[in-house]
Amino acid sequence: MNQVQLRIGVIGIADGWSTERMLDALEQRTGFRRLIEMQDVAFDFEHGRLVHEGFDLSELDGVVVKKIAKEYSPDALDRVELIRALEGSGVRVFSRPESMYALIDRLSGTVRLRQGGIPMPPTVVTESLDEGEAAVRRLGAVMGKPLYTSKARGMEVMRAEDPELRAKLEQFKAANPVMYLQQLVDIPGRDLGVVFLGGEYLATYARVSRSGSGITSTSQGGKYEAHEPSAEIIELARKAQALYDLDFTCVDVVETADGPKVFEVSAFGGFRGLLEACKLDAAAKYADYAIATIQAARAGGVQ
């Protein structure tokens, strides 16, 4: 493969599977490799420079944001702000920081989806234990979801008939002062990851539950399988991801008796499901896309 003379870094985490795939793909094409972990950067306001281990990141042609933190928290919003400063110096960021903001916490993402008319399972967000209990009793069963999380970490099922419901809500609220309670929907043992690159449909994989828990995340025992979705599902996912203008994303869709519904849109999206289920190297495609985007912008005289 002929190498192009571009320096594109990857914001991610050391030894992260998708991060390493992205680094490998870019290095193969450009001969340049730089992992940027956000805890190691500093922004020098006096000189307007974002520096990583002594390297001025404004010297890069672009950066791909693969993973902004090992665990999501409100601190991640500050990291997005630093990346926005980097973008302001002329570095092309994939995906743009403005596109990532609404997807760092679950509540912001849900507001954007609902305002965009995207069907989702019934959801209640509250700080009140009384309102939370009323919501569970009205909805029958809910999945309590932390606002800042990934791969189903910290999620908990709560059911109206459980005599310990109030105690479970109190325990959940202790860790999650703002409670996000989403109706537990009857699903066919799987949910779908519908993936887009540059707004164009790429492929779909299924996450299949092995435990019958309703949690299909691979971190909770689920497995990946290839899947051919209906045109309806693809168009629903396309509409959902278009609300954010992301370069690469995965839309989590669930098939229900009332039609397909969206759980969430990912700010970053992973590569493993596409590779294992669909034999598709998303890192390679993303690297080609990033290079072509930067080259086209330069040819057109824009960043």
Side-chain angles (χ1 to χ4, degrees), residues 43 45 48 50 80-91 97:
F43 187 69
F45 278 88
L50 192 68
V80 175
E81 195 64 39
L82 291 176
I83 297 170
R84 190 161 74 90
L86 177 63
E87 182 184 49
S89 71
V91 177

Side-chain angles (χ1 to χ4, degrees), residues 11-201:
I11 293 176
I13 56 176
D15 301 322
W17 190 88
S18 290
T19 296
E20 291 297 323
R21 296 284 303 189
M22 194 74 242
L23 285 164
D24 290 344
L26 286 168
E27 185 178 22
Q28 289 168 7
R29 289 156 175 78
T30 68
F32 180 83
R33 184 185 190 95
R34 186 170 194 96
L35 168 64
I36 304 159
E37 292 192 280
M38 287 302 295
Q39 73 270 15
D40 297 325
V41 304
F43 187 69
D44 180 349
F45 278 88
E46 182 180 0
H47 299 97
R49 300 190 313 157
L50 192 68
V51 177
H52 175 253
E53 297 180 342
F55 179 79
D56 185 350
L57 295 179
S58 68
E59 296 180 11
L60 295 174
D61 298 294
V63 293
V64 174
V65 184
K66 198 68 221 64
K67 191 81 171 176
I68 204 166
K70 290 183 179 180
E71 302 290 341
Y72 289 122
S73 74
D75 295 340
L77 296 171
D78 297 325
R79 293 183 172 186
V80 175
E81 195 64 39
L82 291 176
I83 297 170
R84 190 161 74 90
L86 177 63
E87 182 184 49
S89 71
V91 177
R92 177 59 162 91
V93 178
F94 302 87
S95 294
R96 294 189 182 278
E98 291 295 336
S99 299
M100 292 189 285
Y101 271 119
L103 293 169
I104 297 298
D105 87 271
R106 195 179 306 277
L107 178 54
S108 294
T110 298
V111 169
R112 180 79 61 90
L113 288 170
R114 293 301 295 133
Q115 289 180 338
I118 302 300
M120 301 180 71
T123 303
V124 173
V125 177
T126 182
E127 296 181 50
S128 166
L129 282 168
D130 290 341
E131 291 293 340
E133 183 175 359
V136 178
R137 298 200 183 282
R138 174 168 56 84
L139 297 174
V142 305
M143 182 74 75
K145 299 182 177 183
L147 295 186
Y148 298 91
T149 189
S150 63
K151 299 186 182 299
R153 295 183 184 93
M155 295 186 183
E156 184 173 349
V157 175
M158 289 171 274
R159 302 182 184 277
E161 67 271 18
D162 188 345
E164 301 298 321
L165 172 60
R166 184 73 175 201
K168 286 187 176 180
L169 274 168
E170 290 174 348
Q171 184 177 19
F172 184 73
K173 179 175 168 56
N176 305 277
V178 178
M179 296 182 291
Y180 184 105
L181 308 173
Q182 189 167 76
Q183 186 175 47
L184 195 64
V185 295
D186 187 16
I187 65 175
R190 69 180 181 223
D191 66 359
L192 308 177
V194 189
V195 184
F196 294 81
L197 177 63
E200 298 299 321
Y201 173 67

